[in-house]
Amino acid sequence: MSFDRLVRFAPKGNDSNILIGEPADASVDVGAAVRKGDDVQVKVYSGKSVLDAGSPTGETAVIGRILSPLTQQEVGTIRCVGLNYKKHAEEAKMTIPDIPTVFLKPPTCLADPYPAPTIIPKHTIASDSADYESELAIVLGKEAKNVSEADALDYVLGYTACNDISSRSSQFAQSQWCYSKGFDGACPIGPVLVAKKLVPDVGKLRLRGLKNGKVVQDSGLTDLIFSVEQIVSFLSQGTTLPKGTLIITGTPAGVGFAHKPQELLHDGDEFVVEIQPHIGSLYNVMQNEK
């Protein structure tokens, strides 16, 4: 299977028909275009999953509703690396780790980009501590176990954008992070899965986070403490990582709780994770849980 950028979507006029395909315009920022209401043409593939997309059918369709590139069933347990940017560790006043700091999110965290709402759980609203974390996400294309750093990229299918939504009050009340980052819908990803071949050097990517149009995070991935190769290898030691495993790689400096005044998330806020080149923008519009 060969592709450059894949999207999973429901076409206009047939919301129950889930398709996989490649944007007809290789330069379009799919997330930004969908947010603006533009028609995005997609070359439809024969497969039903980005993990086995098949081949172009010769047909095209217009995106009606953009979805996460992967389903909850495909990702299983989401692997997460915390404190993986030097400047973020500094702003959090935490020691730069010698080995990756790992926590887990359940598959129920996985969520779609805009126009699906990104939910702030009602039991965390009173604490006013919902926060964003712009991140690069890795998707594995085949099962991995005991992988060396030298071979790690052989297991990577591609990359997408992620927002690691966090409840800071819950996080700081505990020594473990799984609860505070594990709420339903707390891991929107997408909308585009970019093939590994388009990103031969992850360090050349640039990541930004924008809250209501204001840039609050802006970092080159050269600030990563642990590389993609190191992360995949480390997580695979003694542990089977199934095909479709989603790995989120940490957030750079500029998270909401570290700003003065704080830049936390509230009902109606728009947050954008932008990774350039190729990956584009993940739009999330926050909504308080009813």
Side-chain angles (χ1 to χ4, degrees):
M1 176 182 67
S2 177
F3 69 90
D4 287 339
R5 303 194 307 155
L6 290 176
V7 291
R8 179 172 160 266
F9 68 103
K12 274 191 173 180
N14 192 352
D15 193 65
S16 63
N17 185 25
I18 307 305
L19 300 176
I20 302 295
E22 187 145 11
D25 179 353
S27 66
V28 68
D29 183 328
V30 174
V34 168
R35 179 64 167 139
K36 289 189 293 183
D38 295 344
D39 282 348
V40 179
Q41 290 277 349
V42 177
K43 295 180 287 186
V44 177
Y45 277 55
S46 59
K48 293 300 182 182
S49 167
V50 296
L51 302 177
D52 188 14
S55 56
T57 63
E59 300 177 356
T60 61
V62 175
I63 293 175
R65 181 167 55 95
I66 195 71
L67 303 171
S68 160
L70 295 156
T71 67
Q72 292 182 1
Q73 293 74 24
E74 287 172 328
V75 301
T77 301
I78 301 167
R79 271 72 173 183
C80 315
V81 179
L83 288 178
N84 198 27
Y85 283 77
K86 301 180 189 72
K87 291 179 181 177
H88 175 51
E90 291 168 5
E91 76 175 353
K93 297 179 172 56
M94 299 183 76
T95 302
I96 292 176
D98 296 321
I99 60 172
T101 301
V102 178
F103 62 97
L104 306 176
K105 283 178 175 272
T108 47
C109 281
L110 193 75
D112 297 329
Y114 174 88
T118 300
I119 302 300
I120 300 175
K122 58 185 175 182
H123 83 286
T124 69
I125 292 171
S127 68
D128 189 23
S129 63
D131 206 348
Y132 54 82
E133 291 193 1
S134 306
E135 308 204 12
L136 175 75
I138 306 164
V139 176
L140 298 189
K142 59 183 179 180
E143 183 179 289
K145 184 176 181 180
N146 295 332
V147 172
S148 69
E149 290 181 21
D151 294 334
L153 291 182
D154 294 342
Y155 296 82
V156 174
L157 177 64
Y159 305 99
T160 191
C162 171
N163 192 349
D164 178 19
I165 305 291
S166 306
S167 170
R168 297 302 185 193
S169 61
S170 295
Q171 182 180 5
F172 298 150
Q174 300 171 312
S175 61
Q176 302 295 320
W177 300 346
C178 296
Y179 176 76
S180 61
K181 294 167 171 282
F183 302 128
D184 289 354
C187 191
I189 68 168
V192 175
L193 177 68
V194 172
K196 172 182 58 180
K197 65 183 179 182
L198 292 188
V199 189
D201 183 355
V202 166
K204 292 184 178 179
L205 294 174
R206 188 154 200 94
L207 186 155
R208 297 201 308 167
L210 299 92
K211 181 190 171 198
N212 298 327
K214 174 185 175 182
V215 177
V216 289
Q217 291 182 290
D218 189 353
S219 176
L221 272 77
T222 51
D223 194 45
L224 279 172
I225 297 168
F226 301 104
S227 67
V228 170
E229 295 91 335
Q230 289 172 310
I231 291 169
V232 171
S233 175
F234 180 83
L235 292 174
S236 74
Q237 299 308 307
T239 303
T240 299
L241 303 176
K243 179 179 180 179
T245 292
L246 178 69
I247 303 168
I248 63 176
T249 58
T251 196
V255 294
F257 82 88
H259 279 265
K260 292 182 175 50
Q262 292 184 334
E263 291 281 359
L264 299 170
L265 298 173
H266 302 102
D267 188 66
D269 282 343
E270 175 190 86
F271 195 84
V272 184
V273 179
E274 177 192 276
I275 308 178
Q276 299 291 0
H278 307 304
I279 296 173
S281 303
L282 167 65
Y283 278 74
N284 298 131
V285 176
M286 311 307 295
Q287 180 179 302
N288 285 347
E289 184 178 21
K290 300 295 189 280

